[in-house]
Amino acid sequence: MMRSRSTLLLFSLVSLLLFGGVTPQAFADTFVFTAIPDEDEARLRQRFNKVAAYLSKELGVETKYVPVKSYAAAVTAFRNNQVQLAWFGGLSGVRARNLVPGSEAIAQGYEDQAFLTYFIAHASTGLKSSGTFPAGMAGKTFTFGSKGSTSGRLMPEYYVRQNFNKAPDEVFTKVGFSGNHAKTIALVQSGAYQVGAVNFKVWENNLKSGKIDPAKVAIIWTTPPYPDYQWTIRGDVDQRWKPGFKQRVTEVLLNMKDPDLLASFPRKNFIPAKNADYQPILDVAKQIKLID
Amino acid sequence: MATVPGISAPTAPRYSPVVKTSAAFVAVAAGCLLFADISITTLDPWSEMKRIAWGAVTPDFGAVAGLGMVVLQTIAFALCGVALGAVGGFLLSQVFHLGAVRWTCASVRAIHELFWALIFMQVLGLSPLTGVLAIAIPYAGICAKVYAETLEEAHLPALRSLPSGTGIVSAFFFVRLPDVWVHIKNYTSYRFECGLRSSAVLGFIGLPTLGFYLETAFSEGNYSEAAALMIIFYLLIATLRYWMRPKLVGLYVLIAPFLLGGGAAIDMSNIVRFLTVDVVPAPLRGGGLLEGRTWSGLGDWAGTLLIDQALPGMVATILLTQIALVATGVLALALFPLVSKKFFGPVTRTVGHVFLVVMRSTPEFILAYIFLQLWGPSMLPAIVALSLHNGAIIGHLVGRFSDEVRLRPDSPRGINLYGFEIVPRVYGQFLAFLFYRWEVIMRETAILGILGIATLGFFVDSALADIRLDRAIFLIAVMAAFNVAVDALSRQIRNRLRLSTRAGQA
């Protein structure tokens, strides 16, 4: 009995060792892209599967979207050449292009030229919407979004430091990272944190879908505009697919006219972008030491 | 009052070392509570809690497309990871007497699966191998230790009765192994249950297991979907003994690798870059090794990391671990009667089992997230999450152990039975389980760091988010060293109190 069992075990282990390490090279000539997980995953999947179908058709190359769970995972996948194109935020894009020489920002949404962060507060704080920076936040509890987010971390931290001349954990009694914008809203709405910083597009989407109770949480300040999301592509795609491939991808992205597709981002349209457009983001990131 | 001859006068009570040790741990935890932030800061948790509660009673099984495949993949990752880990562990257990092997095993199991996965993600990407290795490596370290300890305890009389000239190999397979086979089998199947939990949790960082969808459902507030996923997971764990038959294991392990799914291709250059560039401290990269500037830069780098991150991270880790350890113990002692035949009939025990399965199968991560909503950001959600999860595990084990206690026919009942019979008799075993769990609890505090509780794990997560792998690896090493130290301390205490070593099942 025991003998047959151990034989079986041995047999199965050998098979595991033989087959376990096999990784299908399924994506060998598939053009793969990803996006930072800044929103509901169902929404992202729906949006980017449509984008994948559109790119496949227009490029004549099989194109696939792979979802990831964190901003860092998106950057790492791009760096490791497991994806060749990505819809990055300002900060993740700058990071990715720093790590992959030759990679380029090729297109951004019309709205991304002037993106905004909302500072939001629970009603009990008594903080009111105002045109000037809300210095009354000091001493409250505060939550950012994801650690790698431009609108949920980089820009709000920059303005906090600039206005208070102190690090966030010296300004606030408690500083948290909610993980994503939707959670930031939920945590401030429940009063778990008194104040938070959130992507203005996500706020507006959630307001429309009725997830926000205006009696409990409200915008108290809006940052000055800054450049945010963009499509970034690796420099070696021309060698891998065909000469002029990068140019072709750029044109196809800029020609995305399907109103449904654009509305899913939501962006009015896509316009050309270049690495230099994101210099302000790089400068800010270096200033607050998120990039060496 | 005259003393009765033959009976000595009452003296001050002399406490046993077990009681003294317990009291010391309670005192330390009480001290830690003074420094820990356990305030409740939420103002209006009820709207979110209402949605969570509503979701819990209205599970939506249709929400996840391809649920069957997700469940199969969760099992497949667990099977492959645990099988590799168990075989690796078994081989290592044969050379466990070597110091180098012991230390290697201690350090690989000191790092939580989630962090192994995050490291492998840097080089292998979201390939199935990332998930399999993330489970297999720490599990090999754990299995090696437990198998080695079990083999050591094998009965020697049988060995002595062997005819002289019996080879080591024959002696091993015909005498030593059969003697402990049941224990090894039981332990490995317990490990598989842990493997299922690990596999599910790895989904949180992107592998295609239940956790992937659970994370999505939770972060988007789709609590009905989350409830459906959790129920499926509980059922998977609760029915384990019905489908995980010894005879089928071989077949399962044969099929499992084919269910892991495809993934990104593995590129050797990424592995090389990770080992030769990414993990090298930033000041050393490109700096001349003979220049003073490079080395002073390295000094600054290490100093800043140690003082600004490792130190506060360690303090938070210790506070959280010690409080959660004692809370776990108290909870386990309170919960075990629920599943013990000594106290309750089958109906109550079933309810107790369901409660304990739910508590021990819900990842700490999710428990902490729910309590965070309820109480706001302090150490409290983490303490409660860790103690519920671990208390349920130890409660289950102690309950099972208490069934084996033989009682006198005239034994007391109810609270007297609990206080004067059962607890004193299971206490040694309980402490052994708890001390084994000490190291595990500390490892888990790191995971809660990802939720924002500033343990060492929080700083590792930040370094990974900034793609500063040199810092991440440095902090992970600090974390591992710390865990190894706690493990050693726990072993010392167990030895001093002469607690059973078979408690590795915890």
Side-chain angles (χ1 to χ4, degrees), chain B residues 6 21 95 100 155 229 312 369 390 428 453:
Chain B
T21 308
V95 284
H155 269 301
L229 290 163
Y369 177 72
N390 291 294
I453 297 139

Side-chain angles (χ1 to χ4, degrees), chain B residues 323-329 331-332 335 382-392:
Chain B
I323 298 171
L325 181 72
V326 171
T328 297
L331 210 62
L335 289 176
I383 294 171
V384 176
L386 283 173
S387 12
L388 271 178
H389 176 75
N390 291 294

Side-chain angles (χ1 to χ4, degrees), chain B residues 65-89:
Chain B
L67 196 56
M69 193 59 200
V70 177
V71 172
L72 282 180
Q73 282 189 315
T74 306
I75 300 173
F77 272 101
L79 269 170
C80 293
V82 175
L84 273 183
V87 172

Side-chain angles (χ1 to χ4, degrees), chain A residues 1-3 5-6 8-9 11-13 15-17 19-27 39-43 45 67-73 75-76 79-82 95 99 122 124-125 141 147-148 153 174-178 180 182-183 186-187 189-194 211 216 289-292, chain B residues 37 39 41-45 47-48 80 83-84 87 121-129 174 178 181 185 203-206 212-213 215-216 219-220 246-247 249-250 253-254 257-258 261-266 270 273 278 282 369 372-373 376-378 449 451 458 461-462 464-469 471:
Chain A
M1 184 63 197
M2 200 202 92
R3 226 200 149 107
R5 212 176 274 166
S6 24
L8 200 58
L9 191 68
F11 179 59
S12 41
L13 286 166
S15 78
L16 178 71
L17 293 174
F19 302 112
V22 176
T23 313
Q25 305 276 314
F27 304 142
E39 274 231 55
D40 284 11
E41 197 177 285
R43 195 179 284 166
R45 258 180 212 269
V68 290
K69 281 286 182 193
S70 69
Y71 287 56
V75 175
T76 303
R79 181 190 195 194
N80 287 349
N81 202 6
Q82 288 166 333
R95 276 197 174 122
L99 291 168
H122 191 269
S124 68
T125 58
T141 59
K147 286 174 185 168
R153 164 79 190 278
K174 234 173 254 171
V175 175
F177 294 92
S178 71
N180 69 39
K183 264 196 220 162
L187 287 171
Q189 182 154 289
S190 77
Y193 286 94
Q194 294 170 298
K211 284 188 180 164
K216 287 182 182 154
K289 297 202 165 70
L290 282 178
I291 291 182
D292 293 318
Chain B
D37 170 16
S39 55
T41 52
T42 16
L43 304 161
D44 173 33
S47 54
E48 195 71 10
C80 293
L84 273 183
V87 172
M121 194 112 100
Q122 294 299 329
V123 283
L124 306 175
L126 276 175
S127 127
L129 207 54
F174 289 100
W181 180 249
K185 205 182 73 184
F204 278 89
I205 58 162
F212 189 99
Y213 301 91
E215 198 268 349
T216 306
S219 58
E220 289 164 22
K247 279 183 196 159
V249 170
V253 175
L254 262 181
F258 297 98
I266 292 165
N270 292 332
R273 186 203 63 218
D278 291 352
Y369 177 72
L372 183 71
Q373 289 286 349
S378 70
L451 271 183
F458 172 82
D461 180 61
S462 300
L464 287 169
D466 293 349
I467 328 252
R468 284 165 165 157
L469 305 182
R471 296 187 188 194

Side-chain angles (χ1 to χ4, degrees), chain A residues 75-139:
Chain A
V75 175
T76 303
F78 185 80
R79 181 190 195 194
N80 287 349
N81 202 6
Q82 288 166 333
V83 302
Q84 292 80 39
L85 175 74
W87 174 244
F88 281 131
L91 177 60
S92 43
V94 165
R95 276 197 174 122
R97 293 192 294 276
N98 259 359
L99 291 168
V100 184
S103 57
E104 270 179 66
I106 51 176
Q108 62 181 345
Y110 176 80
E111 293 86 340
D112 294 307
Q113 303 170 86
F115 215 77
L116 303 169
T117 294
Y118 289 154
F119 279 66
I120 56 174
H122 191 269
S124 68
T125 58
L127 293 167
K128 293 276 171 274
S129 175
S130 132
T132 54
F133 185 81
M137 298 192 294

